[in-house]
Amino acid sequence: MLWKDMPMEMGNGTTVQDFTLEGFPAIQHLGNVLFLVHLLAYLASITGNAVIITITCADSRLHTPMYFFLSIFSFFECCFISAVIPKLLVIFLFGRQTITSLACFIQAFVFLFLGAAGSLLIAVMSVDRYMAICKPLHYPTIMNLKTCFLLVTACCVLAFTFIAGLIITVSQLSFCGPNIIPHFFCDIGALIHLSCSDTRSAEMVAFVIALCVLLTSLLITIIAYSNIVVTIVRLPSARERQKAFSTCSSHLIVLSMMYGSCVFIYVKPKQRNRLDSNKEAALVNTVVTPLLNPVVYTLRNKQVHQALRETMCRMKISK
């Protein structure tokens, strides 16, 4: 990558070696309390997603396309929040807000790559549910293991291509100071805001990528769930309809929170606008939704509960 040779020259001819993450200065005096709250949320998110991955691998009954996608999504979530939250915890506890320029761009790349891959994977998961509910006869032959691997690979390749191009574009901008990022992590919009060169091309690249990834994923998800709802309405049993609607409504609540915060942050031509409010929206995306995802997607599922109980029983017996 070109990050080591980034043209980040100050006005006096020196080079910017690091950035300073502003964090939340208005409530920094509550650092210990905020550290504890975010640490507990982080550990809960990691634990919940790790449980999903573990029981999916351990129980052969969960070796289905739906749980395969869920385990991959949980892995993305673990890496996604781990790219941001540990640094935020350090800021809250020690007030160490400095981050090197290389580490900053790496953090921005990892965060955006995993976020984009996760968004695309959600669209794939929605299509998988559509095929399972609306096309049950064709589902086993279409959604085989090879197809699942190809879909996950496509999500990763597309996300890597988009985000690598965006990060390289932003890394070629000039940074003349100040070097204070008005955020709690190296958000791409905040980095563009700091540049003293012409940022129109970088802003347009970011806007187009956000449209391609977020809105395309959202559109696919809406179409898939709309067809699912139509199919559910036609179910003869009221109990089956209620059960299906309960599951779909939970999924849609989390999806609306995630897509809403992402669209608010990234789908705007001018990255200089609303930087302060971006921090609150980013907290929803990095703290709240990763915490809710394990509960909504699988931990409310009776099949997962049974697999979890049997796995814990086997662990007790082995001891």
Side-chain angles (χ1 to χ4, degrees), residues 24-41 88-96:
F24 298 91
I27 54 175
Q28 187 60 40
H29 60 284
L30 302 174
N32 291 334
V33 176
L34 295 171
F35 168 81
L36 182 60
V37 170
H38 286 80
L39 176 63
L40 292 176
L88 179 61
L89 295 176
V90 171
I91 292 174
F92 283 144
L93 190 61
F94 302 110
R96 296 176 183 172

Side-chain angles (χ1 to χ4, degrees), residues 297-313:
Y297 276 107
T298 56
L299 297 184
R300 292 181 59 199
N301 188 297
K302 291 182 180 180
Q303 190 176 8
V304 174
H305 284 170
Q306 184 179 356
L308 185 58
R309 284 195 298 268
E310 292 180 0
T311 301
M312 293 178 68
C313 288

Side-chain angles (χ1 to χ4, degrees), residues 16 26 43 62 84 119 126 149 216 241 243 257 269 296 316:
V16 174
L43 293 176
L62 301 183
V84 174
S119 295
S126 301
F149 274 112
T216 301
R241 289 197 300 270
K243 181 181 177 181
M257 291 176 63
V296 169
K316 289 180 180 179

Side-chain angles (χ1 to χ4, degrees), residues 155-311:
C155 291
C156 293
V157 170
L158 283 173
F160 181 88
T161 303
F162 282 136
I163 303 307
L166 174 59
I167 295 297
I168 291 174
T169 300
V170 176
S171 71
Q172 292 174 341
L173 298 175
S174 297
F175 294 84
C176 309
N179 63 341
I180 299 175
I181 298 176
H183 217 302
F184 60 89
F185 68 97
C186 292
D187 179 65
I188 199 68
L191 284 170
I192 292 174
H193 173 70
L194 288 182
S195 175
C196 58
S197 57
D198 186 357
T199 61
R200 285 176 296 182
S201 61
E203 288 178 342
M204 186 53 62
V205 169
F207 178 65
V208 171
I209 289 176
L211 281 177
C212 290
V213 174
L214 289 175
L215 295 189
T216 301
S217 174
L218 178 59
L219 182 62
I220 292 172
T221 302
I222 290 174
I223 293 173
Y225 271 99
S226 297
N227 284 276
I228 289 171
V229 169
V230 171
T231 302
I232 291 173
V233 169
R234 294 174 180 172
L235 291 176
S237 170
R239 186 175 180 181
E240 289 179 354
R241 289 197 300 270
Q242 183 180 3
K243 181 181 177 181
F245 271 124
S246 175
T247 302
C248 287
S249 63
S250 300
H251 289 185
L252 292 175
I253 289 171
V254 176
L255 289 175
S256 63
M257 291 176 63
M258 188 200 76
Y259 281 118
S261 59
C262 288
V263 169
F264 178 83
I265 294 170
Y266 298 110
V267 184
K268 53 191 177 188
K270 288 290 183 180
Q271 289 294 323
R272 298 175 186 271
N273 299 334
R274 301 200 300 254
L275 286 176
D276 291 335
S277 54
N278 280 0
K279 289 193 287 188
E280 286 71 24
L283 274 179
V284 173
N285 200 26
T286 56
V287 178
V288 179
T289 52
L291 186 60
L292 294 178
N293 279 334
V295 178
V296 169
Y297 276 107
T298 56
L299 297 184
R300 292 181 59 199
N301 188 297
K302 291 182 180 180
Q303 190 176 8
V304 174
H305 284 170
Q306 184 179 356
L308 185 58
R309 284 195 298 268
E310 292 180 0
T311 301

